[in-house]
Amino acid sequence: MQPQIPLTRDLVLIGGGHAHALALRMWGMNPLPGARLTLINPGPTAPYSGMLPGHIAGHYRRDELDIDLVKLARFAGARLINGAATAIDPKLKRIDVAGHAAIHYDVASIDVGIHAEMPDIEGFSEYGVGAKPLDRYAESWRVFVQRVERGEAKPQVAVVGGGVAGTELALAMARKLRTIGATPEITLIEMARDLTGFSPSALSRATKALDRFGVRVLTGTQVAKISADSVTTSLGEEIASAFTVGAAGAFAHGWLADSGLPLTEDGFIEVDETLRVSGVSDLFAVGDCAHLMATPRPKAGVFAVRAAPVLAHNLRACLSDGRLKPFRPQKDFLKLVSMGEKNALAEKWGRSLAGPALWRWKNRIDQRFMDRFRNLPEMAQDRLPRELAAGVREELGAKAQMLCTGCGSKVAAGVLSGTLAGWPRIGREDVLMGPGDDAALLAMGDIRQVVTTDHLRAFTEDPQRFARIAALHALGDIWAMGAEPQAVLIQITVPRQSEALQARVLDEMMVAANDVISNAGAEIVGGHTTMGAETILGFTVTGLLDGPAVTLAGARAGDVIVLTRPIGSGTLLAGEMQGRANGRHIEAMFAEMERPQASIAKAMRAAHAMTDVTGFGLAGHLLAMARASGLRAALLLGAIPTYDGALDLSAAGVHSTIYKANAEAAPVYGMGNPAHVALLHDPQTAGGFVAAVSREDLAGLHDAVKNAGGHLYEIGSFDKGPVGIDIV
């Protein structure tokens, strides 16, 4: 039996720029055993800037620009940390991340791009928007176009900066405003005597395009002030503008200035010919945030793309004591400039051409680049042995899918209930409630205590996010019964790794878990750690009651069934494992799962019966409530909320490992959208509360839950009848 290869080195990529995205793809095709890869990025996607003008003009949807980093990280076997880097200490090898504990590294690379914000201009920070970062500009533009369509804003735009980028965006915005029936008034403002970045022949073509779109060009003009509806020049001229864009150059991110790294006068990271930061042996930088000391080049995405293979090689070499390669950028590159309509200008070596055929060529280049990430290579899976014990193939399923994570890997309800049914109880008077509800109920004199335990396989490679959600998931049982969390024991299993990496990952997990648990008013009192085949996190939690416990058995005929959180997390997690889920949907789901539910539980103390929806799915937990209360549940399928993307994945046949067992254990009768019905059996991790409440209390509960930061969905009712669940 081959031993498990221990993890010994941490490689951290800061930023999801083009070079890092390509390096991640290369890593996924040939990972380095023993190295743990982490990507830090402020969002689940990274936009491709080459298609930005086409999006602004209306030729591409917003999502067509996005590299899905969730899918890419899964393909590369990388941890994805959703947050913006705010500092780096090259001596301590530590990266600070907003909203996250520090990340440590052995080797790291920076590819965070640039910004086009201009805080030195009065009013820009309040009323202007930089063309970069792309996300903020694209969203601000979308909102502005909607306001123009509704007649709430005039179609007046000013672009500060008359280079190639400013010219492209002025033409793109003019085109878009025309398509919605507006008559755009766009002004392109440049401080130099002429538009910059163009050869004489290309400048002539660009100027003619601007004339055709009615773009006013002001050269030799400096901006002094920006307000909500105008731009004021240094000479006092006021230019009407309801939307002002900054495109006057490339600016380095401010946090780099405090890093102690070698920087140019304008704040860019100095790197040598191997892309290594000058004088720092274990840190690299690439893309627009870096400055090639030996071979300076303009800020252009083409150099980042060409640098990616060299970066990927050198990162591996640095991790494995290999030899580094030099990056030798080309001296000139082909510029393909969008001209508003599906028309492009091509320039190289001082010569230029323009026309629709060049736009089609540019589009093919851009789509080919994006297809590298839309269609990630299918990596060969380990084949099953030819000879297997009977039942193995049936247990694995037709596609031999991996075992799901989170609550998707629970033991089937039928197996569990069968085991518990044979358990003898000795009848202790201080054990008031045995297996079957959310937690055990114990009596110690006049004190009532609840005790629960929960263990989860890691459903995300981010240890801090996993720890936060797993802790909230475990606390859900305590909150559901109306108790206040008291004490917590933690059990952690991590893959085999060096002591340095053990310390890093344990620190990340414990910081996050302690934050959740202490905010819930409980104390971590101990636990256990071990190494194993994978990351598993468990919590044993006690809680104290100051009143009667809310159990499964209190529902009454006529009660309304309410739910506090969408369903579908198990299907989304299964889809993410298979590389079929949308990264934005995964991020939105995680953000919801990370919200504590203590205040919501307190707001629902008037519930007759309540439980949290976890591994056995909404139907399974609702059936347990129906059985304990001797009632029949009627569900309004269309009223049951689902996470974005879950219905589409369910319709495509994506389900969790435990889905089939859940469906068999809690049958639902009636007709409805099969994909939606299937989600009733979807295992939930950190799911919401499902409760039975009186109709008279509904209005007050809605207000109380809303004030607690939650939402109450009315999804059905309980009535007399044989125990079961109907869709009505």
Side-chain angles (χ1 to χ4, degrees):
M1 181 176 178
Q2 187 172 354
Q4 181 184 3
I5 297 176
L7 299 169
T8 59
R9 292 290 184 272
D10 267 321
L11 169 61
V12 179
L13 305 182
I14 307 170
H18 302 349
H20 277 180
L22 288 167
L24 277 163
R25 187 179 184 276
M26 296 171 200
W27 185 280
M29 297 173 70
N30 185 25
L32 178 65
R36 179 169 59 194
L37 177 59
T38 299
L39 171 66
I40 301 170
N41 193 70
T45 62
Y48 171 49
S49 58
M51 295 169 70
L52 173 63
H55 165 65
I56 297 299
H59 303 316
Y60 304 119
R61 300 187 315 273
R62 175 65 186 83
D63 63 315
E64 290 184 274
L65 279 64
D66 282 337
I67 298 171
D68 191 325
L69 296 179
V70 174
K71 287 183 181 179
L72 186 57
R74 169 65 69 176
F75 174 77
R79 305 190 306 171
L80 175 59
I81 308 298
N82 183 26
T86 58
I88 184 168
D89 187 325
K91 292 181 179 178
L92 296 178
K93 297 186 180 182
R94 188 187 73 189
I95 303 154
D96 292 340
V97 182
H100 211 275
I103 304 293
H104 289 81
Y105 67 88
D106 294 294
V107 177
S109 178
I110 305 173
D111 185 11
V112 294
I114 55 175
H115 70 86
E117 305 287 334
M118 294 181 285
D120 292 341
I121 298 178
E122 182 182 347
F124 186 93
S125 298
E126 186 175 0
Y127 300 111
V129 59
K132 289 188 176 184
L134 184 155
D135 273 342
R136 180 169 175 253
Y137 167 48
E139 177 60 17
S140 299
W141 173 246
R142 182 188 68 80
V143 172
F144 175 69
V145 170
Q146 289 179 341
R147 292 183 62 227
V148 172
E149 285 184 295
R150 294 194 298 263
E152 298 170 1
K154 295 180 180 179
Q156 297 169 333
V157 176
V159 181
V160 183
V164 173
T167 300
E168 276 191 302
L169 295 181
L171 291 167
M173 290 187 287
R175 191 267 176 187
K176 179 61 179 179
L177 290 173
R178 284 186 177 184
T179 64
I180 63 170
T183 302
E185 300 175 33
I186 295 182
T187 306
L188 181 60
I189 306 167
E190 170 54 41
M191 189 166 57
R193 285 207 236 168
D194 218 330
L195 300 183
T196 60
F198 295 98
S199 66
S201 66
L203 178 60
S204 174
R205 295 178 188 276
T207 302
K208 288 178 182 177
L210 291 165
D211 288 342
R212 283 197 305 273
F213 276 94
V215 176
R216 180 189 179 198
V217 179
L218 292 180
T219 55
T221 303
Q222 190 166 350
V223 172
K225 180 182 177 181
I226 295 170
S227 67
D229 56 8
S230 68
V231 171
T232 303
T233 72
S234 57
L235 297 178
E237 180 184 359
E238 283 199 2
I239 301 163
S241 176
F243 187 78
T244 302
V245 181
F251 302 96
H253 291 283
W255 63 269
L256 293 174
D258 301 322
S259 64
L261 299 176
L263 304 177
T264 62
E265 288 185 5
D266 44 3
F268 297 102
I269 305 168
E270 296 179 350
V271 298
D272 63 23
E273 62 177 2
T274 67
L275 304 175
R276 191 157 51 181
V277 176
S278 298
V280 186
S281 63
D282 46 31
L283 185 62
F284 295 76
V286 71
D288 288 347
C289 70
H291 176 74
L292 296 164
M293 295 297 290
T295 54
R297 293 292 186 270
K299 304 298 179 187
V302 64
F303 297 115
V305 172
R306 297 288 177 87
V310 175
L311 176 69
H313 171 88
N314 288 350
L315 291 174
R316 293 176 68 91
C318 196
L319 289 162
S320 56
D321 298 325
R323 172 176 269 179
L324 275 59
K325 288 182 179 179
F327 171 54
R328 308 204 186 281
Q330 68 270 39
K331 292 182 179 180
D332 197 6
F333 64 99
L334 176 67
K335 292 179 185 174
L336 286 168
V337 183
S338 295
M339 306 295 279
E341 299 289 356
K342 290 185 176 181
N343 197 335
L345 166 67
E347 179 195 342
K348 190 173 183 181
W349 297 316
R351 299 179 180 179
S352 67
L353 293 171
L358 290 169
W359 191 92
R360 292 193 293 271
W361 185 26
K362 173 176 165 48
N363 180 60
R364 281 196 296 273
I365 292 172
D366 291 336
Q367 298 294 352
R368 192 161 57 241
F369 176 81
M370 289 301 296
D371 281 343
R372 298 191 203 183
F373 305 102
R374 294 170 183 152
N375 308 310
L376 292 167
E378 293 247 355
M379 304 307 293
Q381 300 294 324
D382 292 337
R383 292 185 178 182
L384 291 174
R386 184 172 298 176
E387 188 177 13
L388 294 166
V392 169
R393 297 186 191 279
E394 291 77 8
E395 180 64 27
L396 289 173
K399 296 182 180 178
Q401 72 177 46
M402 294 179 289
L403 180 66
C404 281
T405 52
C407 272
S409 60
K410 284 178 71 79
V411 171
V415 174
L416 183 60
S417 61
T419 300
L420 295 178
W423 250 8
R425 293 192 63 193
I426 63 174
R428 287 185 61 104
E429 292 184 358
D430 55 356
V431 179
L432 305 181
M433 185 184 297
D437 219 303
D438 289 296
L441 180 59
L442 310 177
M444 291 171 286
D446 294 332
I447 298 172
R448 295 293 182 270
Q449 184 184 56
V450 292
V451 183
T452 186
T453 190
D454 238 307
H455 291 70
L456 296 174
R457 297 178 67 233
F459 46 79
T460 170
E461 295 297 327
D462 178 352
Q464 293 182 56
R465 170 164 266 175
F466 174 42
R468 281 195 298 270
I469 295 174
L472 290 168
H473 175 87
L475 289 166
D477 286 339
I478 303 295
W479 289 327
M481 294 189 76
E484 293 289 335
Q486 177 194 21
V488 178
L489 292 166
I490 302 181
Q491 301 84 41
I492 303 176
T493 301
V494 295
R496 186 177 180 184
Q497 52 199 278
S498 66
E499 290 187 6
L501 268 64
Q502 288 177 40
R504 291 171 187 173
V505 73
L506 288 175
D507 182 61
E508 290 185 52
M509 294 174 81
M510 290 300 296
V511 165
N514 185 62
D515 180 58
V516 169
I517 290 164
S518 60
N519 283 335
E523 292 275 356
I524 297 175
V525 295
H528 181 73
T529 58
T530 187
M531 285 191 286
E534 59 183 346
T535 302
I536 299 175
L537 184 57
F539 297 86
T540 299
V541 189
T542 65
L544 297 176
L545 285 163
D546 58 7
V550 183
T551 68
L552 295 169
R556 305 170 189 174
D559 277 354
V560 178
I561 302 171
V562 296
L563 181 67
T564 65
R565 186 166 278 182
I567 61 175
S569 64
T571 291
L572 280 168
L573 289 173
E576 191 274 325
M577 286 181 68
Q578 298 173 32
R580 298 173 68 178
N582 182 296
R584 289 188 183 275
H585 295 160
I586 297 296
E587 177 56 34
M589 176 193 68
F590 279 151
E592 177 68 16
M593 292 164 72
E594 284 181 303
R595 288 197 309 115
Q597 299 189 86
S599 298
I600 295 171
K602 287 179 182 178
M604 295 179 67
R605 286 286 172 86
H608 295 153
M610 184 162 71
T611 184
D612 57 335
V613 183
T614 54
F616 299 137
L618 177 60
H621 291 282
L622 195 56
L623 183 60
M625 190 181 293
R627 282 177 178 150
S629 304
L631 297 171
R632 193 167 187 87
L635 291 179
L636 302 170
L637 188 63
I640 299 173
T642 62
Y643 284 112
D644 288 344
L647 276 172
D648 288 341
L649 286 170
S650 179
V654 176
H655 302 298
S656 285
T657 308
I658 197 178
Y659 160 76
K660 184 179 177 182
N662 278 355
E664 292 172 350
V668 175
Y669 302 95
M671 302 295 291
N673 177 352
H676 207 160
V677 173
L679 292 181
L680 299 180
H681 308 293
D682 188 54
Q684 303 305 290
T685 302
F689 300 118
V690 61
V693 302
S694 69
R695 199 166 291 278
E696 293 75 19
D697 290 337
L698 258 183
L701 276 173
H702 272 290
D703 291 340
V705 171
K706 182 178 180 180
N707 291 337
H711 192 89
L712 204 63
Y713 303 91
E714 299 175 34
I715 64 169
S717 60
F718 279 114
D719 212 336
K720 295 178 180 179
V723 170
I725 303 174
D726 295 314
I727 293 173
V728 297

